[in-house]
Amino acid sequence: MIETPYLLFLGDAPDQLAAKVAQGIADWRPEHCVGQFRLPGCGADCGVPDMTLEEARAEGAQTMVIGVANRGGRFSPAWRDAMVAALEAGYDLASGLHTLLRNDPALVAAADAAGRALHDVRLPEDDYPIADGTPRSGKRCLAVGTDCSVGKMYTALAMDAEMRSRGLPSTFRATGQTGILITGEGVPLDAVIADFMAGAVEWLTPDNDADHWDHIEGQGSLYHPSFSGVTMALIHGGAPDALILCHEPTRTHMRGLPHYGLPTLEALRDTVLPLARIVNPACRVVGVSLNTRALDDAAAAQLVAETGARMRLPCTDPYRFGAGPLVDALMGT
Amino acid sequence: MIETPYLLFLGDAPDQLAAKVAQGIADWRPEHCVGQFRLPGCGADCGVPDMTLEEARAEGAQTMVIGVANRGGRFSPAWRDAMVAALEAGYDLASGLHTLLRNDPALVAAADAAGRALHDVRLPEDDYPIADGTPRSGKRCLAVGTDCSVGKMYTALAMDAEMRSRGLPSTFRATGQTGILITGEGVPLDAVIADFMAGAVEWLTPDNDADHWDHIEGQGSLYHPSFSGVTMALIHGGAPDALILCHEPTRTHMRGLPHYGLPTLEALRDTVLPLARIVNPACRVVGVSLNTRALDDAAAAQLVAETGARMRLPCTDPYRFGAGPLVDALMGT
């Protein structure tokens, strides 16, 4: 569990894309963000106040989150100086980078001296059980995609936010690095040992009140051969009551695999539902989430309408048009 | 790669079942077994000559394989004395036990002093790539099951043995601890990090001659919620040209999960084939393998005949009746 609130470290991010982890936190958990800390030359801005380490600490910030991607797998000297200074100022550090904080001797020494924690959310921090497939109380919704990176995490975050705005009991359950940094906890599923994947998802989504919904962050795709095993473990470990089909309509091939075309939404539905019902016979596909970022407003609205009619399911782009239709559908289950 | 030939260590195994790893090696790779080494009170016998450490070493044995399950997760003092003596006599040690050789200080010290290797086949020894789904030359056959422990490994070993007896190019590819000890190499798939599962299977089954068949050891079941993600990674990483459906006809529920019934062979076929065709559109289900151990000869023969007729597929119990029908079917693809 990572202590909040956060100071977002943007470093010398050349552009907004390089700071997308920080942007995700600022978008979805603004109440956790005291401010942002930028180095000279930073070209990103997450729309929260610029602060020094001391100013944010005075505002109560507990953890400095590395919200920027590093290039070449190394921390630059400027980054490291800032991170050491943060530890000395009383911050914990949290990072989802491949370059681990715990493998940097200067950071380890500074953290030890200051008595602060280094959170590498890329690595699992718990021992997970082997899944036992026992039904759990409460309800669960899982977003599944025609491909990787089609908006599954944003769909789950948007549905969780919509439910909470209506005063309905809801929790976003993070299964990836960015999601864990957004919420401060979760399971980095792609780094879990194979035998314990489904058990880690069961552990992440325990018994709950009968009307409570977990919105489980999806990973990979059943149609993406590199990561389909991780997706399968989410479907069986998560035991979802509801599935949301996620799709990016302009994608021409599976991410990173030019020789693989995307399945249709119909094929995804027909493949995932029987697999999900092995564990939860009551599972239903309740809606479609389109990532229409590449389309203009009119084209996006038209595609949403056409897709919903074609699939006979509620359909939206939850980031662009709101998650209301998906939450309405969920409440009907 | 574990050096052969082996001396099989049966320890003080109370019965034959406790020595089933050693029995698997003796059954499938008799040419690798110089003999067996038993302690007083041993109730198992793998049908190979009893030898002392010195006798087997004189016959050329390179590695002493721990072919017996330990109870309570610890090595008994008698085991440890025998293992230390083996290292001092010039053997490597190989083990698939949960209790790791490398975590036992006495064994580590003895191995270091003697310059010998400790092989814990429960742990991966390589860094595997992320799968890229690129088609590979050569052919691959994967056994998939209605449940765990229904005979997938024995099916693959029997088909490999049948092909080699006909002079056909064939390799058994081990994905579990017993399989790795039988062949001396492989991938302990259940211990691989999630993101690299499918890549490990691609690595294990590389490009080969056009008429060469890999017989890939299956793991878990798409219908077993604890391990279905591992099975999915095998289906997509293995990119099989041929699938064998494996079933144990007297099983009443999924192994370890009393609240889960088994799927029919028809359901397994209809679930697995579309998933396999995502990666290999030419994939076919070519036969059925029944584990009839619980039946008498007449009942086994009748069930094999009935199941083959019902599924319109070649069917056999490859351990009881031979793998000929399955290999015939494979040669027809």
Side-chain angles (χ1 to χ4, degrees), chain A residues 25-285:
Chain A
I25 302 172
D27 283 346
W28 294 107
R29 291 292 183 275
E31 69 275 21
H32 287 174
C33 300
V34 166
Q36 64 188 9
F37 177 31
R38 303 194 287 177
L39 297 176
C42 182
D45 182 349
C46 291
V48 294
D50 281 298
M51 290 194 184
T52 65
L53 290 171
E54 292 69 25
E55 287 166 348
R57 195 82 182 103
E59 295 289 323
Q62 300 292 320
T63 301
M64 187 168 88
V65 175
I66 314 305
V68 51
N70 63 337
R71 284 163 297 178
R74 290 171 173 242
F75 302 132
S76 69
W79 282 30
R80 188 180 289 101
D81 290 348
M83 291 193 274
V84 168
L87 291 163
E88 291 172 348
Y91 290 87
D92 294 340
L93 294 183
S95 161
L97 299 178
H98 276 288
T99 319
L100 299 181
L101 302 173
R102 71 189 63 181
N103 288 346
D104 188 297
L107 296 180
V108 170
D112 284 348
R116 307 311 311 173
L118 301 176
H119 296 286
D120 286 302
V121 302
R122 197 162 281 277
L123 298 184
E125 297 209 338
D126 289 275
D127 287 330
Y128 305 112
I130 286 179
D132 68 9
T134 305
R136 308 191 288 294
S137 53
K139 301 223 169 198
R140 286 155 200 87
C141 180
L142 175 66
V144 294
T146 52
D147 191 4
C148 302
S149 307
V150 292
K152 298 186 298 297
M153 183 183 78
Y154 265 54
T155 299
L157 283 163
M159 292 179 71
D160 172 55
E162 173 70 16
M163 281 192 65
R164 289 190 289 128
S165 79
R166 297 186 190 183
L168 297 169
S170 170
T171 308
F172 170 74
R173 300 296 190 183
T175 63
Q177 285 76 25
T178 302
I180 294 171
L181 290 173
I182 289 174
T183 60
E185 59 188 337
V187 168
L189 192 59
D190 60 10
V192 171
I193 299 285
D195 247 2
F196 303 99
M197 294 185 297
V201 182
E202 289 187 348
W203 174 90
L204 181 68
T205 59
D207 282 323
N208 215 316
D209 296 337
D211 62 344
H212 177 277
W213 282 88
D214 277 334
H215 295 279
I216 307 173
E217 180 187 354
Q219 295 293 335
S221 165
L222 284 176
Y223 285 81
H224 196 295
S226 310
F227 308 116
S228 54
V230 182
T231 310
M232 188 73 251
L234 269 165
I235 293 168
H236 281 173
D241 302 276
L243 295 165
I244 308 290
L245 308 179
C246 298
H247 185 57
E248 206 284 67
T250 66
R251 196 74 60 89
T252 56
H253 60 74
M254 297 299 280
R255 187 176 167 85
L257 304 177
H259 43 308
Y260 282 85
L262 266 72
T264 62
L265 284 163
E266 289 87 344
L268 175 62
R269 174 196 64 201
D270 295 344
T271 300
V272 67
L273 196 56
L275 291 169
R277 286 182 171 166
I278 291 169
V279 170
N280 187 342
C283 184
R284 292 174 49 215
V285 172

